[in-house]
Amino acid sequence: MISYWCVQFFIGYSEWVRDLYEVRCDKDLGKILVVRLYKEPFSCFPEDAWFCNSIKVTCPNGETSEFPYYLWISGYGTFEIPQGKGIILEKSVSTAIKKQREAELEQKRQTHKWKTYAEGAPHCISADDVKELPPNDQFSFLKTVSFSYNFLSSSLGPKLKGYLQCSDSWTDLCDIKRVFCSHWTEISNLVSEKWNEDTFFGYQYLNGLNPLMIQKCLRIPDNFPVDDVTVSATLGTSTTLQKELQNGNIFLADYKILEGIPTNVINGETQYLAAPMCLLWKSPEDKVVPIAIQLNQTPGEENPIFLPTDPEWDWTLAKIWVRNSEFQVHEIVTHLLYTHLAAEIFNIATTRHLPMGHPVYKLIHPHLRYTLEINTLARQTLIGPNGLFDQAVVIGNGGVPVLLARAMESLTYSALCLPDDIEARGVESIPNYFYREDGMRIWEAMESYVSDIVRYYYPNDKTVSKDLELQAWVAEIFQEGFLSNKNSGIPSSFATRVELSKYLTMVMFSCSAQHAAVNSGQFDFYAWMPNAPSTMRKPPPTAKGTTTYQSVLETLPAINTTTTAMVTVNLLSKEPLDQRPLGRYENKNFVEDVPKKCVEQFRDKLCEISKDIKLRNKTGKLMYHYLDPEEIESSVSI
């Protein structure tokens, strides 16, 4: 038993190096709701930011109160930190807490404002440079140094070898391996060997970088005139196309979204883009293989349907065109829109509408870390004018906003919710669909965790509907992020705990597991350029029997374009240091026993999933490890 009040401050000049400061007080302080920190100038020393982990107050009877913060304190002034218990604003909440929350949100709304990136695209943070971001949204020193090192190590070798300066065509595809000496991975090497196999082409629709594209085909589209005769040589004599359709074994990948997208000019040459349709079949051996490809949406004599029985290079080039289209849809729609821009939307709205003391803030804040910096960097150096997309990708800076706007028009809530998306695409029973299997286990574990937290803080549905801060949060996400598109089915308010739990699971999954699934394997699948060329230098073929190995080389990206794309995907596949794997919440936002137990249970489930994935991956060369929880970063930060 102590006879005084003890206040302990854990403050330092970084998240990892902190000092303990202790203040004692003999007076009775009563019930402490908010702790105020005062930061003032000292002599002639320049202002310096300090990182405050938490504050712990111990009263004379031994009871403790925790005030978690985990933020940088920059500038001079008064900084208020609320008591750590999650609180939903109700009539019974004290005036001091209400005033603290109002002041906190008002200050944050000044630093986090929306702006229009492009017409029809989600709104973004109002910052043109990472230096304009508040300190708590910028990379840590360790992450900045690591990110810079990764870029230099990726680009220096190819630049010294002259690959980044050479605009010639490749004379031999094997020469692509010379761009990097030491960066090749086991999977990228396998891709370079298997890229032209039909079974591997189909495998990528399940476990490649864009496992959201394939959907069950119940009826052949009118503009894709494939019939029994067309594919009989591939299906064999024991079945027909109609039978396979009825049995649920025919699938479609339709890239109609790319039709009419503006194309880029690279090395002074006009680049070309197709909007293909690819018909796939699940064979009796449980392999998904392509059986017909049409390179544009309008059928006709100059838009032939390519088949596996066509001359080798005709069929190879047709598949390459599909993979080029896959690159565009993956990078801009599945990767950029569904994860990066979605995470930015959630980040800004959370900062503007949910105070630190709100339980939803405590739940999702770890999944929003560093997103604003990486997205601001992307708009500067990746998809901005003269950025890497302008240098190496067919749609370039001019086409990105158009494709984003088009994708936004067709975006649905079900596309962002894994169980709904699997059902909507009719792919519940495709075998060896590891993205679905691993993703569903993570989704279910995450949804269970979220539901437990929601039930703890919200005793009934009425408390959800009456939470004004929460309702303002989801309303602004709908308005600023999803542009008030009612056809999307995305909620603009919550009426029940079930609705809230599903939405929060979607937020956390999009920012962590979904991003890992569509980002982490970029070098593995894209380093071998013919497997997914970023651009094409010749238009799609209009007749069969005209393609040769030489014409393929002349169609594929030039040496410097290839190298720029390889350097980019190598950089984006490497998570810089200062990582936070899914479930490892180093910042203890929750202080109550029940939420702490929920976190532990969630972590235990993730450990079990990780063990099972590692065990499965021991049985095959082409491992699917991207959704191993130990390898999933908690937030979109690369």
Side-chain angles (χ1 to χ4, degrees), residues 388 448 513:
L388 294 170
S448 175

Side-chain angles (χ1 to χ4, degrees), residues 25 55 124 144 151 316 444 450 455 459 497 503 509 595 605:
C25 179
I55 296 173
C124 64
T144 299
F151 175 74
T316 297
E444 289 165 0
V450 170
R455 283 193 295 266
R497 295 188 296 179
Y503 192 90
F509 189 86
K605 290 179 182 177

Side-chain angles (χ1 to χ4, degrees), residues 70-132:
Y70 303 108
L71 293 172
W72 286 98
I73 297 176
S74 59
Y76 300 119
T78 303
F79 302 86
E80 294 189 339
I81 304 175
Q83 208 272 346
K85 292 182 179 179
I87 297 176
I88 298 166
L89 278 189
E90 297 175 316
K91 291 182 180 179
S92 59
V93 174
S94 71
T95 303
I97 291 293
K98 290 179 180 178
K99 287 184 177 180
Q100 182 276 321
R101 287 165 89 118
E102 290 171 1
E104 176 190 337
L105 293 179
E106 179 59 32
Q107 189 274 328
K108 288 180 176 179
R109 286 171 189 149
Q110 298 303 312
T111 59
H112 291 72
K113 296 181 179 180
W114 298 96
K115 77 169 184 179
T116 300
Y117 158 63
E119 194 67 32
H123 297 163
C124 64
I125 189 69
S126 182
D128 296 321
D129 189 280
V130 294
K131 295 178 182 178
E132 299 175 15

Side-chain angles (χ1 to χ4, degrees), residues 16-51:
W16 308 277
V17 181
R18 60 182 185 270
D19 297 316
L20 170 61
Y21 298 90
E22 188 171 293
V23 177
R24 297 182 179 183
C25 179
D26 296 327
K27 296 181 180 179
D28 184 6
L29 300 179
K31 184 178 180 180
I32 301 178
L33 302 175
V34 176
V35 170
R36 290 194 182 103
L37 298 182
Y38 298 91
K39 189 164 177 240
E40 301 173 346
F42 177 71
S43 184
C44 59
F45 287 92
E47 192 275 331
D48 195 13
W50 285 77
F51 191 86

Side-chain angles (χ1 to χ4, degrees), residues 185-444:
T185 63
E186 183 178 351
I187 293 178
S188 63
N189 280 322
L190 278 171
V191 171
S192 71
E193 298 169 6
K194 295 178 175 289
W195 71 280
N196 202 20
E197 297 177 8
D198 287 358
T199 52
F200 181 69
F201 180 93
Y203 169 88
Q204 292 182 87
Y205 277 108
L206 305 180
N207 304 308
L209 283 168
N210 190 16
L212 288 73
M213 195 73 197
I214 188 173
Q215 58 182 338
K216 182 177 288 186
C217 181
L218 301 176
R219 176 181 172 274
I220 303 298
D222 293 337
N223 62 331
F224 196 10
V226 177
D227 55 26
D228 284 328
V229 175
T230 310
V231 296
S232 59
T234 302
L235 298 183
T237 58
S238 61
T239 189
T240 65
L241 180 59
Q242 193 57 40
K243 284 182 180 178
E244 295 303 304
L245 284 166
Q246 292 172 353
N247 292 335
N249 293 329
I250 300 298
F251 300 88
L252 179 68
D254 189 350
Y255 298 87
K256 180 178 176 59
I257 194 171
L258 296 177
E259 192 173 29
I261 297 293
T263 58
N264 199 2
V265 174
I266 301 175
N267 294 328
E269 295 181 310
T270 299
Q271 307 296 294
Y272 295 89
L273 182 65
M277 305 172 78
C278 179
L279 205 63
L280 300 131
W281 174 49
K282 184 186 77 67
S283 71
E285 293 78 27
D286 285 340
K287 302 291 186 182
V288 174
V289 294
I291 58 174
I293 292 172
Q294 181 178 282
L295 294 181
N296 285 300
Q297 294 288 313
T298 305
E301 290 186 5
E302 295 189 347
N303 188 22
I305 295 175
F306 292 93
L307 306 169
T309 53
D310 288 338
E312 177 187 0
W313 289 112
D314 279 357
W315 180 237
T316 297
L317 184 58
K319 290 189 293 181
I320 289 174
W321 273 105
V322 173
R323 293 296 301 164
N324 168 254
S325 298
E326 178 79 351
F327 182 99
Q328 317 307 318
V329 173
H330 161 252
E331 291 292 10
I332 300 304
V333 181
T334 311
H335 185 195
L336 179 62
L337 177 59
Y338 286 9
T339 63
H340 277 262
L341 299 188
E344 182 168 5
I345 295 164
F346 305 142
N347 184 305
I348 300 171
T350 299
T351 304
R352 289 170 53 85
H353 289 284
L354 298 181
M356 289 182 295
H358 197 287
V360 171
Y361 175 95
K362 294 175 177 292
L363 178 69
I364 67 174
H365 185 254
H367 301 282
L368 307 176
R369 187 171 179 253
Y370 296 145
T371 297
L372 295 189
E373 166 140 352
I374 195 63
N375 281 11
T376 303
L377 279 173
R379 283 187 287 270
Q380 279 183 286
T381 63
L382 191 65
I383 59 175
N386 303 314
L388 294 170
F389 263 59
D390 265 356
Q391 299 172 40
V393 181
V394 59
I395 58 175
N397 173 60
V400 169
V402 179
L403 182 53
L404 276 176
R406 192 173 291 180
M408 282 290 291
E409 291 174 358
S410 59
L411 177 65
T412 63
Y413 188 37
S414 63
L416 300 175
C417 299
L418 181 63
D420 297 348
D421 178 57
I422 295 296
E423 182 180 357
R425 292 189 288 116
V427 290
E428 303 98 318
S429 59
I430 297 184
N432 303 314
Y433 196 179
F434 305 129
Y435 162 77
R436 179 197 63 213
E437 295 171 12
D438 300 347
M440 283 299 297
R441 291 189 67 185
I442 293 172
W443 177 281
E444 289 165 0

